């Protein structure tokens, strides 16, 4: 298999991998760094493509190993941060590794999310942007908009549930229409 | 004994709470149990996980705001909807992101220039004269070593610490504290390598295909270091010009000691530019000892001059730091996009 399709496959799986990485690190910068490091490993290993039978499953394992390595390193450097409990870390990783969703699901969700984001009011969309553009804490956002951290967290929690519900409804509608 | 999984509405709360980092230990246990025992909970978690990942990716690439700033942003945003989300994002969003970040990094580069050039004199600390001197001093071939600490807004993010050697405006060597990689420019060729493996070289990183760019460590830093528009260390005259246009520089504190404090304040709000840049300078030599750039979102970048010591002529060439490695010239090993 030539190199380009493999890295393109990896890039197309970005959202799923980033979601997993954020789920177990809760650190957007670290998640991005792990994603890039995994890309390098994948490119190096991809030079022997005959050993890769299921790219998605193999790439997930590469990402998981890179993540666990990074988490161990972070534990050494940041004793004060409460990490995800080992049991939940295992449960999340197993859920991720055993996910057999077709790649098209992620693509459809991506399109639906864009439409759902467009349906948000301007202030809600701004709140989402504040949270995800710079990985700002609830406290930082609350300082910026003159609110409280708890209120910001509750609002963002509601918005994400609404976005999730909206995405699922759009997927069901599309499925019913096809 | 295993607890029964909570109802699905609670699963939503647990999942969102997990991503927010607000769950108690008992709640984390409940979520773990649900993921181990309930297929519905797993599916729910996976769909939330993809949503979270996509929001982070969109936010990272600057696509979460209503795309009404300018047509180029809008155009790239619409491209991301086509289904080739990731590939297009990495091909096109990068350009936007770098442009969006240009002001802030240009300012940081100018700070580094100021640090390296020792432009301050005791007789004049007006913004205009300082920056004129900075421009004149930009090409001085003096080796300076700095520690740069970048702190993000997320409390759980680790501050990044990088040691930078710089000579004049064109040669540099960057090394993170963990030694995971080296990035350098010997004045003509940009190079990068990790602890093991080949040395990659290019004279034009930005024209490489994404497949080749992604081989390199810390791609975001490389994008900045190699851009003619907002280089971290290069093109100083343009950067100083930008400081002149967009910042007011004033003397904050000088009580007759050896150190004075200057503050540069942005003339207007620009989301990606630091609001303030504080500089502490030695009034006798004019060398700036440290600086701190602060963004509205709490992000900071601090420079600290560690030493001014002449380094070997070959210091900025990869052979000095990665001798014996295979050298891979990316410019000749890839098709151009």
């Amino acid at each position: 298999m030539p190199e380009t399709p493999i890295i393109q496959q990896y890039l197309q799986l970005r959202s799923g991998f980033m979601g997993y990485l954020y789920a177990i690190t809760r650190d957007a910068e670290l998640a991005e760094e792990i994603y890039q490091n995994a890309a390098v490993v994948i490119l190096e290993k991809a030079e022997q493509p005959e050993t890769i039978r299921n790219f998605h499953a193999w790439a997930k394992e590469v990402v998981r190993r890179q993540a666990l390595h990074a988490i161990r390193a972070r534990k050494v450097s940041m004793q004060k941060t409460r990490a995800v409990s080992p049991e939940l870390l295992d449960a999340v990783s197993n859920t991720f590794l055993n996910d057999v969703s077709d790649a098209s699901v992620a693509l459809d969700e991506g399109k639906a999310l864009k439409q759902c984001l467009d349906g948000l009011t301007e202030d809600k969309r701004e709140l989402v942007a504040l949270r995800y553009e710079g990985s700002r804490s609830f406290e930082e956002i609350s300082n910026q908009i003159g609110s409280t951290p708890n209120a910001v967290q509750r609002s963002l929690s509601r918005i994400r549930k609404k976005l999730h519900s909206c995405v699922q409804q759009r997927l069901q509608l599309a499925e019913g229409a096809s | 004994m295993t607890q029964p999984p909570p109802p699905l509405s609670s699963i939503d709360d647990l999942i969102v709470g997990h991503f927010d980092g607000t769950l108690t230990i008992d709640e984390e246990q409940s979520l773990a149990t649900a993921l181990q025992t309930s297929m519905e909970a797993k599916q729910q978690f996976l769909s939330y996980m993809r949503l979270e990942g996509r929001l982070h990716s969109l936010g990272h690439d600057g696509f979460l705001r209503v795309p009404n700033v300018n047509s180029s942003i809008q155009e790239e945003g619409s491209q991301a909807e086509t289904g080739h989300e990731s590939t297009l994002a990495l091909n096109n969003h990068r350009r936007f992101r770098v442009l969006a970040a240009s002001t802030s990094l240009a300012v940081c580069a100018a700070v580094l220039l100021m640090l390296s050039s020792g432009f301050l004199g005791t007789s004049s600390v007006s913004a205009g004269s300082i920056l004129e001197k900075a421009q004149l001093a930009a090409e001085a071939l003096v080796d300076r070593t700095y520690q740069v600490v970048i702190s993000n807004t997320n409390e759980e993010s680790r501050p990044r610490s990088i040691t930078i050697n710089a000579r004049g405006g064109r040669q540099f060597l960057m090394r993170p504290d963990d030694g995971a990689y080296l990035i350098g420019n010997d004045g003509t060729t940009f190079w990068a390598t990790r602890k093991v493996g080949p040395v990659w070289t290019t004279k034009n990183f930005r024209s490489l295909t994404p497949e080749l760019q992604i081989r390199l460590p810390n791609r975001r830093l490389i994008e900045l270091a190699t851009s003619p528009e907002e280089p971290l260390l290069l093109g100083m005259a343009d950067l100083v010009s930008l400081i002149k246009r967009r910042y007011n520089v004033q003397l904050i504190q000088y009580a007759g000691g050896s150190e004075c404090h200057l503050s540069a304040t942005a003339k207007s709000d620009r989301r990606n530019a630091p609001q303030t840049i504080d500089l502490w300078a030695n009034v006798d030599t004019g060398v700036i000892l440290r600086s701190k750039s602060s963004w509205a979102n709490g992000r900071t970048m601090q420079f600290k001059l560690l030493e001014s010591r002449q380094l070997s002529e070959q210091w900025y060439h990869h052979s000095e730091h990665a001798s014996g490695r295979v050298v891979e010239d990316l410019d000749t090993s890839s098709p151009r996009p």
Side-chain angles (χ1 to χ4, degrees):
Chain A
M1 191 183 293
E3 178 184 284
T4 300
I6 281 185
I7 193 62
Q8 282 183 352
Q9 286 178 63
Y10 182 68
L11 296 174
Q12 284 165 0
L13 296 168
R14 177 184 163 89
S15 291
F17 288 167
M18 282 298 292
Y20 166 67
L21 292 171
Y22 188 76
I24 61 170
T25 63
R26 291 192 298 233
D27 180 336
E29 289 286 330
L30 182 59
E32 180 71 27
E33 190 174 306
I34 297 167
Y35 177 79
Q36 281 196 26
N37 288 341
V40 173
V41 173
I42 282 170
L43 278 163
E44 288 170 354
K45 302 279 185 185
E47 289 169 5
Q48 298 103 36
E50 63 280 1
T51 62
I52 305 168
R53 279 182 288 185
N54 179 336
F55 175 77
H56 194 170
W58 174 75
K60 282 199 286 191
E61 182 59 26
V62 171
V63 168
R64 186 185 74 89
R65 289 185 185 191
Q66 288 290 318
L68 295 180
H69 176 73
I71 287 170
R72 277 195 294 271
R74 184 174 68 167
K75 277 181 184 168
V76 172
S77 65
M78 288 195 66
Q79 299 290 348
K80 291 179 183 173
T81 303
R82 189 171 84 77
V84 178
S85 69
E87 190 169 6
L88 181 54
L89 191 65
D90 284 346
V92 169
S93 291
N94 286 334
T95 302
F96 169 68
L97 290 176
N98 295 319
D99 176 23
V100 291
S101 304
D102 192 88
S104 63
V105 172
L107 284 176
D108 292 342
E109 284 178 344
K111 291 178 192 172
L113 176 61
K114 180 66 180 66
Q115 294 170 317
C116 294
L117 280 168
D118 289 343
L120 290 180
T121 60
E122 198 171 323
D123 57 336
K124 284 180 179 165
R125 184 148 177 169
E126 176 69 14
L127 201 55
V128 172
L130 285 172
R131 172 65 172 165
Y132 290 97
E133 275 186 357
S135 299
R136 292 176 177 85
S137 68
F138 299 127
E139 187 173 1
E140 288 162 349
I141 297 171
S142 67
N143 288 338
Q144 192 161 341
I145 65 174
S147 181
T148 66
N150 281 342
V152 169
Q153 195 255 324
R154 282 197 301 272
S155 294
L156 278 164
S157 175
R158 280 195 298 270
I159 292 169
R160 277 178 298 168
K161 286 179 192 168
K162 184 178 173 182
L163 285 173
H164 182 265
S165 171
C166 171
V167 167
Q168 298 308 313
Q169 283 175 9
R170 284 187 175 276
L171 292 183
Q172 285 171 7
L173 280 173
E175 199 173 321
S178 61
Chain B
M1 186 170 172
T2 306
Q3 295 175 328
L8 214 54
S9 59
S10 300
I11 289 289
D12 275 21
D13 291 333
L14 288 175
I15 293 169
V16 172
H18 167 65
F19 283 109
D20 286 348
T22 57
L23 296 188
T24 63
I25 291 173
D26 286 345
E27 287 168 335
E28 283 199 351
Q29 176 64 51
S30 292
L31 179 56
T33 302
L35 292 177
Q36 288 159 356
T37 58
S38 164
M39 186 55 71
E40 282 183 321
K42 286 181 186 176
Q43 291 306 318
Q44 196 80 338
F45 185 87
L46 286 168
S47 57
Y48 266 105
M49 193 180 82
R50 289 189 292 268
L51 173 74
E52 199 72 14
R54 190 163 288 106
L55 287 171
H56 277 287
S57 294
L58 290 171
H60 184 261
D61 293 330
F63 283 137
L64 278 177
R65 287 174 196 275
V66 179
N68 60 355
V69 178
N70 62 46
S71 59
S72 65
I73 295 171
Q74 199 158 27
E75 182 185 337
E76 290 182 358
S78 64
Q79 285 177 326
E81 299 167 26
T82 63
H84 303 289
E85 173 198 78
S86 302
T87 307
L88 285 173
L90 286 172
N91 281 342
N92 298 323
H93 300 189
R94 178 183 302 117
R95 191 175 305 118
F96 161 63
R97 189 171 67 234
V98 167
L99 286 172
S102 65
T103 305
S104 59
L105 284 142
V107 168
C108 292
V111 169
L112 192 52
L113 161 67
M114 295 172 191
L115 283 162
S116 64
S117 58
F119 65 87
L120 289 174
T122 52
S123 60
S124 171
V125 285
S126 70
S129 60
I130 286 170
L131 295 176
E132 289 298 333
K133 289 179 184 176
Q135 276 181 300
L136 291 174
E139 297 303 321
L141 296 179
V142 177
D143 293 316
R144 306 278 193 196
T145 301
Y146 310 96
Q147 184 185 37
V148 182
V149 178
I150 304 167
S151 299
N152 291 310
T153 55
N154 187 338
E155 288 173 359
E156 292 190 0
S157 290
R158 300 161 302 159
R160 310 297 168 96
S161 178
I162 300 169
T163 301
I164 299 181
N165 304 127
R167 178 184 293 164
R170 302 189 66 80
Q171 300 174 77
F172 64 84
L173 174 71
M174 302 183 196
R175 182 200 315 259
D177 284 359
D178 63 6
Y181 57 84
L182 289 170
I183 298 172
N185 190 313
D186 62 11
T188 59
T189 302
F190 166 81
W191 59 272
T193 189
R194 293 173 179 270
K195 284 180 181 173
V196 294
V199 176
W200 294 286
T201 65
T202 177
K203 291 184 188 302
N204 192 356
F205 167 80
R206 306 186 78 75
S207 70
L208 298 175
T209 60
E211 290 79 8
L212 288 171
Q213 289 186 359
I214 205 168
R215 285 172 182 262
L216 301 172
N218 203 336
R219 203 173 66 247
R220 292 172 69 189
L221 187 58
I222 294 171
E223 286 168 0
L224 303 170
T226 57
S227 167
E229 306 229 19
E230 23 60 34
L232 195 63
L233 299 163
L234 313 180
M236 294 302 180
D238 291 340
L239 299 172
V240 173
S241 170
L242 184 138
I243 285 266
K244 281 181 179 176
R245 292 197 309 274
R246 295 186 180 161
Y247 284 78
N248 295 314
V249 183
Q250 60 179 321
L251 180 64
I252 296 296
Q253 187 178 22
Y254 177 55
S258 62
E259 193 173 305
C260 68
H261 175 194
L262 298 176
S263 182
T265 307
K267 291 177 181 173
S268 60
D269 281 345
R270 300 176 73 86
R271 189 164 56 84
N272 292 301
Q275 283 188 325
T276 60
I277 304 169
D278 287 286
L279 312 166
W280 287 265
N282 183 305
V283 293
D284 297 322
T285 64
V287 173
I288 295 187
L289 306 170
R290 62 190 189 279
S291 77
K292 181 178 181 182
S293 302
S294 305
W295 280 255
N297 64 8
R299 178 182 166 218
T300 62
M301 184 181 289
Q302 298 182 66
F303 287 85
K304 182 180 179 184
L305 178 63
L306 298 179
E307 63 178 351
S308 301
R309 178 172 61 87
Q310 186 169 1
L311 300 168
S312 69
E313 274 307 303
Q314 288 297 303
W315 183 256
Y316 300 95
H317 192 267
H318 58 75
S319 60
E320 187 80 5
H321 308 277
S323 63
R325 304 264 192 98
V326 171
V327 178
E328 187 176 336
D329 182 359
L330 296 177
D331 296 333
T332 58
S333 64
S334 68
R336 295 290 173 185

